[in-house]
Amino acid sequence: MSNGYCPDIDITMNLGKEDESYFHSLIGFLRWIIELGRVDISVEVSMLSSHLVLPREGHLQELIHIFGYLKNNMNTKMVFDPIEPEIDVNAFLRQDWSYSVYSSPGEELKEILPPNMP
């Protein structure tokens, strides 16, 4: 997406019915691209997907930016290292989970329920 763009505060005009349908198609297409392995765009597509009910012109423009990004970066690869990492379990501090920081020692922690609940 464009640098500094926030789809939640977009105040451009709402899309018409035809452009709204086009917006939905593009979102669906990008979701399939993510499923096929392009996880580098998943956050941006997810943010724009939250505006499927009332998409705006700015949202559509940002979708077009994402397709431009995909065109410019079509040969990118994700490399996974198959070697299992060595983890030193002694590097982690042991914690005592037998008590709660929200109650005094020996006191039973109980959820307070409102008297007028259904």
Side-chain angles (χ1 to χ4, degrees), residues 2-3 7 13 22-23 53 63-64 66 71 75-77 81 86-87 91 99 103 109 111:
S2 300
N3 196 11
M13 296 293 294
Y22 182 57
F23 180 83
V53 174
L63 277 182
I64 293 169
I66 293 173
K71 182 179 179 184
N75 293 324
T76 58
K77 296 178 184 175
D81 188 359
E86 292 183 26
I87 299 173
Y99 72 95
S103 65
L109 196 59
E111 182 179 7

Side-chain angles (χ1 to χ4, degrees), residues 31-73:
R31 285 181 173 170
W32 269 110
I33 290 174
I34 293 168
E35 288 293 320
L36 295 173
R38 289 303 300 260
V39 294
D40 54 331
I41 60 169
S42 61
V43 172
E44 291 81 3
V45 173
S46 177
M47 289 171 64
L48 290 170
S49 293
S50 65
H51 300 281
L52 285 172
V53 174
L54 190 63
R56 296 178 175 273
E57 291 175 0
H59 299 144
L60 182 59
Q61 290 302 315
E62 291 306 315
L63 277 182
I64 293 169
H65 280 282
I66 293 173
F67 279 98
Y69 168 80
L70 290 173
K71 182 179 179 184
N72 291 333
N73 299 289

Side-chain angles (χ1 to χ4, degrees), residues 73-89:
N73 299 289
M74 67 175 65
N75 293 324
T76 58
K77 296 178 184 175
M78 290 183 69
V79 180
F80 295 96
D81 188 359
I83 300 170
E84 189 170 333
E86 292 183 26
I87 299 173
D88 181 16
V89 294

Side-chain angles (χ1 to χ4, degrees), residues 13-23 55-57 60:
M13 296 293 294
N14 295 339
L15 292 177
K17 291 292 181 191
E18 193 170 307
D19 287 337
E20 187 176 335
S21 178
Y22 182 57
F23 180 83
R56 296 178 175 273
E57 291 175 0
L60 182 59

